[in-house]
Amino acid sequence: MVQKPKRKGNALAFLMPYIFLIGVVVVLIVLFGGTGKTVKETWNPSPDAIEEKLEMIYDDVAANKAVMDKITIYEKERVLIIEGQYTKDKVTYIFAVQTGSTVAEDVAKLYDAVYKFGNKVVVYNAFEVTFWDGLISWLPMLLLSGLLLFFLFRTMNSNSNNKAFDFGKSPVKSIENSKIRFADVAGCDEEKQEMQELVDYLKHPQKYTSMGARIPKGVLLTGSPGTGKTLLAKAVAGEAEVPFFFISGSDFVEMFVGVGASRVRDMFRRAKQHAPSLLFIDEIDAVGRQRGTGVGGGHDEREQTLNQLLVEMDSFSDNSGVIIIAATNRPDVLDPALLRPGRFDRQITVSLPDMKGREEILKVHSRNKKVAKEVNLKNIAMRTPGFSGAELENIMNEAAILAARFNKKEIDMTDIDEAIDRVHGGLAKKSQNRSAEETRIVAYHEAGHALAGLKLKNAMKVQKVTIIPRGDAGGYVLMTPENDKYNYTKRELMDRISGLLAGRVAEELFFDDITTGASSDIEQSTRLARRMVTEFGMSNLGPIKYEEPAGNAFLGRDYANAHRNVSSEVAFEIDQEIKNIINTAYETVKKVILDNRDQLILIAETLLTKEILTNEEVVSLVETGSLPTKEEPKTEGTENPTDVNLEVKEEPKE
């Protein structure tokens, strides 16, 4: 593209503000600058006093003690105005007085006193002030006014991004022809089916109006971050082939009063003009939080914006052709008025994908990438439970970057393994200078986790064990469930706690000492045991929920933490039940390790040599006492493994 030459007018327009500014400074220096001191005097308006003051100045002038520069005397609207300036002892005195002229002889007396200065005094009549005198007196104001007008007109007429007068305009962005389709959204088949109704309405509204049906005015998408809520909304607009308007909830919040409400009105006005259309508000919790919780009560700017949003949604006529879709991962803090029928009629939860969904997502994000044939996406999906669509996309992107870095022609499993590590654990710290004793402790710690995963019936499946530090972890065990689970039994939770404590038990048994390396395991096991007692009713206290979230909607749920609606006696019993669960799990895994002491030693010593063990290698060590031979086939996608920092220790869902 050939760049157009800049016009001279643009350069002049650029320099004009600086020219004006320099002119103002010069005029001010000329008018008010000087090396001497200037004193302004206001005299007593009594005619006698004025006459006495003028007589004193006359004596000083006559004795060459002062120099009279100028005196102006004129009468205006029965008021005698006397202004003058004289210099005495290098000090310039400016005097001014206004006095009533109702008495003619008083006026004459003043005139006589002034006229005594003779040739050294110039007396002006009010109508004898020259044009240039007036211009000079008003020049600073004229320059400042001109400078202000220049900037105002320049702002109003410019084509730049300067939007000084657009505070009330909505910063909503629009896409006329969205390229995203439902085929680009994977892992949420049920959610796509629900949204298909909106697409059908936008394409064929008369089919619904003829049946007397009212399409939902608004659809609220909830779910964890990265599950594809925004992508799903764009796919609806793409499938319906209608204009797509999108804005973030934070764009409404401004420091200026009334700006948020004005932007809401402008946003809905634009959407109505392009009906049928789709209006998407991302992170609506930024503006839709419960009212009455802010610092300003019901009159703060955010709440006024929310009130305007409610009014605009109510003003929508049925089947107006505009559908509102909002997304949030904090539906618990939204104002109930937003969720009532007639506003956001339908709420759709976009859940984390299951194994089949993860595989479909990986296929979508592998379309434009050169992936090796031996890469099994199903195996990757099995290793990534609890991953969101955004995380899976990031894994494939990181794998592509790694392959390009090493000048590979295709993405292989080593790239994907390393990408998983990078996403969740950071860079591998193979150069970390760790002592032999510390490395040995880490090896036995991780071997304890691996052995517990194999020997405990309800434990998760061991995928990989490594002692290579990555991030804050000195080593880890990758453990995944055989299938996606949504409900957990008490035995499964107890075995999970036992697996978490296995590393700590191994340290105690083999080194007669303990380290800080089990702090994360202790934290997770304690939190899980507390939920078993207070939420799941899996203790001797019975099926009673003792704790519930009590976070303030304004301060945030995590700020206030959890609320204990129990007495001190019951709180003590809760603590005792948590302790009993932890102790029981501790003794269980301790017995498992003692019964399989030789197998744990074999795993740990092999780790010290190889640093990384796969599932097949760990199983072979436990069952046969040796590593599998090279001729033995391995599960596809596990050749040349790198350390994977993915110790999946999901908490059970309610």
Side-chain angles (χ1 to χ4, degrees):
M1 182 176 68
V2 180
Q3 187 177 4
K4 296 182 179 179
K6 296 182 178 180
R7 296 180 296 179
K8 295 182 179 180
N10 295 333
L12 182 61
F14 176 77
L15 294 175
M16 283 300 295
Y18 302 99
I19 296 175
F20 274 112
L21 184 61
I22 295 173
V24 171
V25 173
V26 171
V27 170
L28 292 176
I29 293 175
V30 172
L31 294 178
F32 305 105
T35 58
K37 183 178 179 182
T38 302
V39 180
K40 293 185 178 180
E41 298 180 322
T42 302
W43 294 352
N44 192 321
S46 170
D48 294 335
I50 294 173
E51 183 179 1
E52 182 180 350
K53 181 68 174 178
L54 289 173
E55 289 285 353
M56 183 180 64
I57 297 174
Y58 169 76
D59 293 337
D60 289 339
V61 172
N64 294 324
K65 295 181 179 180
V67 177
M68 181 59 63
D69 300 318
K70 182 178 67 174
I71 291 183
T72 304
I73 303 176
Y74 54 93
E75 188 178 0
K76 183 178 181 182
E77 298 179 357
R78 301 184 62 80
V79 175
L80 185 65
I81 301 174
I82 303 177
E83 298 175 351
Q85 177 179 316
Y86 68 97
T87 304
K88 183 179 180 181
D89 298 330
K90 298 183 179 181
V91 178
T92 301
Y93 295 89
I94 301 174
F95 58 90
V97 65
Q98 297 182 6
T99 184
S101 58
T102 55
V103 183
E105 59 185 46
D106 292 337
V107 177
K109 213 187 284 183
L110 292 174
Y111 274 131
D112 292 339
V114 173
Y115 289 149
K116 290 180 179 180
F117 292 108
N119 297 333
K120 297 185 181 237
V121 179
V122 180
V123 180
Y124 295 94
N125 186 274
F127 301 99
E128 294 179 349
V129 179
T130 64
F131 169 79
W132 293 108
D133 292 330
L135 180 62
I136 291 175
S137 62
W138 285 95
L139 188 58
M141 186 62 67
L142 292 174
L143 287 174
L144 292 175
S145 301
L147 185 63
L148 179 61
L149 291 174
F150 172 78
F151 280 116
L152 290 176
F153 283 108
R154 185 171 180 264
T155 303
M156 295 175 64
N157 298 324
S158 66
N159 295 322
S160 62
N161 294 325
N162 193 348
K163 305 295 183 183
F165 294 92
D166 292 343
F167 289 119
K169 296 291 184 68
S170 172
V172 61
K173 302 177 180 64
S174 62
I175 300 177
E176 293 295 333
N177 298 308
S178 179
K179 303 298 183 182
I180 300 176
R181 300 293 188 267
F182 280 150
D184 302 317
V185 184
C188 51
D189 296 336
E190 292 79 7
E191 291 82 354
K192 288 194 294 185
Q193 186 176 357
E194 286 289 315
M195 302 298 284
Q196 185 64 43
E197 293 182 2
L198 304 181
V199 176
D200 191 36
Y201 165 72
L202 291 171
K203 284 186 173 182
H204 312 289
Q206 66 280 359
K207 183 171 72 172
Y208 294 87
T209 56
S210 62
M211 296 295 295
R214 178 183 63 82
I215 204 69
K217 290 184 179 180
V219 178
L220 180 64
L221 301 178
T222 63
S224 303
T227 51
K229 299 183 292 292
T230 304
L231 188 65
L232 189 59
K234 291 182 179 180
V236 173
E239 291 286 345
E241 298 179 348
V242 297
F244 179 74
F245 297 90
F246 60 98
I247 191 172
S248 175
S250 60
D251 291 332
F252 297 109
V253 183
E254 287 282 356
M255 63 178 291
F256 303 104
V257 178
V259 172
S262 177
R263 289 181 175 180
V264 170
R265 289 190 294 268
D266 183 70
M267 176 185 65
F268 279 89
R269 177 186 59 81
R270 293 176 59 182
K272 292 177 183 178
Q273 289 177 350
H274 294 81
S277 61
L278 193 66
L279 180 59
F280 178 68
I281 305 175
D282 198 9
E283 305 296 344
I284 195 173
D285 53 278
V287 68
R289 288 176 175 255
Q290 295 181 19
R291 290 169 291 180
T293 56
V295 178
H299 300 284
D300 74 315
E301 175 63 12
R302 182 187 58 79
E303 293 194 5
Q304 297 302 323
T305 304
L306 175 58
N307 291 335
Q308 187 63 45
L309 178 62
L310 298 175
V311 171
E312 292 293 335
M313 294 187 71
D314 282 339
S315 65
F316 268 4
S317 60
D318 296 340
N319 304 317
S320 61
V322 179
I323 296 178
I324 307 170
I325 300 178
T328 180
N329 51 33
R330 295 290 304 277
D332 55 314
V333 302
L334 294 180
D335 194 282
L338 270 176
L339 307 178
R340 73 158 176 81
R343 288 171 179 155
F344 286 107
D345 307 80
R346 184 175 298 178
Q347 298 184 36
I348 300 176
T349 301
V350 185
S351 306
L352 291 172
D354 56 10
M355 190 183 72
K356 181 183 178 182
R358 294 193 297 272
E359 184 179 357
E360 294 297 325
I361 293 173
L362 290 170
K363 289 180 180 179
V364 170
H365 296 300
S366 301
R367 291 175 182 173
N368 62 340
K369 297 177 176 63
K370 298 179 180 179
V371 182
K373 294 181 179 180
E374 64 270 15
V375 173
N376 192 329
L377 297 179
K378 185 177 181 180
N379 287 348
I380 301 174
M382 293 177 60
R383 299 173 51 186
T384 53
F387 280 47
S388 66
E391 290 174 319
L392 294 173
E393 188 275 336
N394 194 26
I395 288 173
M396 296 304 299
N397 185 64
E398 286 290 337
I401 294 175
L402 289 170
R405 177 186 298 177
F406 296 104
N407 299 319
K408 296 182 179 179
K409 296 182 179 180
E410 298 177 321
I411 301 172
D412 55 27
M413 279 304 303
T414 57
D415 300 320
I416 296 177
D417 286 342
E418 179 64 21
I420 295 174
D421 295 347
R422 286 173 174 266
V423 171
H424 285 270
L427 295 175
K429 301 178 181 179
K430 296 183 179 181
S431 61
Q432 189 177 83
N433 188 15
R434 197 165 53 183
S435 65
E437 181 65 19
E438 186 178 357
T439 304
R440 188 173 184 84
I441 294 175
V442 172
Y444 276 81
H445 180 107
E446 304 304 334
H449 287 303
L451 183 66
L454 293 176
K455 296 298 182 179
L456 294 174
K457 180 180 179 181
N458 298 301
M460 292 186 294
K461 184 179 180 181
V462 178
Q463 295 288 349
K464 182 177 290 186
V465 188
T466 179
I467 60 173
I468 297 177
R470 186 180 291 271
D472 295 332
Y476 53 86
V477 179
L478 171 63
M479 304 176 70
T480 61
E482 294 186 6
N483 300 298
D484 291 297
K485 295 187 68 67
Y486 303 97
N487 292 294
Y488 295 82
T489 66
K490 183 179 180 180
R491 293 187 183 92
E492 289 174 337
L493 297 181
M494 291 297 297
D495 283 352
R496 177 167 294 190
I497 295 176
S498 297
L500 289 169
L501 299 174
R504 173 68 173 266
V505 175
E507 293 179 7
E508 181 181 349
L509 293 177
F510 288 92
F511 298 94
D512 195 25
D513 200 358
I514 53 179
T515 68
T516 60
S519 60
S520 178
D521 300 328
I522 295 174
E523 179 185 355
Q524 294 183 62
S525 59
T526 304
R527 183 168 61 247
L528 184 54
R530 178 172 294 279
R531 296 189 67 186
M532 291 177 62
V533 177
T534 61
E535 297 183 34
F536 306 145
M538 296 179 177
S539 69
N540 294 328
L541 297 180
I544 303 174
K545 188 174 183 178
Y546 291 100
E547 293 183 355
E548 58 185 42
N552 187 286
F554 177 72
L555 296 176
R557 179 176 56 189
D558 297 331
Y559 183 87
N561 210 340
H563 174 63
R564 279 193 177 188
N565 191 22
V566 297
S567 63
S568 56
E569 292 82 3
V570 176
F572 175 77
E573 294 182 15
I574 291 174
D575 294 337
Q576 290 299 114
E577 289 293 327
I578 295 173
K579 185 178 180 181
N580 292 335
I581 292 175
I582 297 294
N583 290 337
T584 301
Y586 196 90
E587 294 299 324
T588 300
V589 74
K590 186 176 183 179
K591 184 178 184 304
V592 170
I593 292 177
L594 289 174
D595 293 342
N596 301 275
R597 179 185 182 94
D598 295 339
Q599 295 176 355
L600 188 145
I601 294 175
L602 181 60
I603 296 173
E605 294 298 328
T606 307
L607 271 175
L608 291 172
T609 304
K610 291 196 63 176
E611 293 187 332
I612 302 171
L613 294 176
T614 65
N615 169 263
E616 291 76 16
E617 292 172 331
V618 174
V619 172
S620 180
L621 288 173
V622 173
E623 294 180 352
T624 66
S626 62
L627 293 171
T629 60
K630 294 182 179 180
E631 290 76 16
E632 292 184 7
K634 297 182 179 182
T635 303
E636 189 176 4
T638 59
E639 294 90 359
N640 301 320
T642 59
D643 47 306
V644 180
N645 189 18
L646 282 174
E647 188 174 355
V648 181
K649 301 174 180 177
E650 292 181 326
E651 295 183 8
K653 299 181 181 179
E654 300 182 37

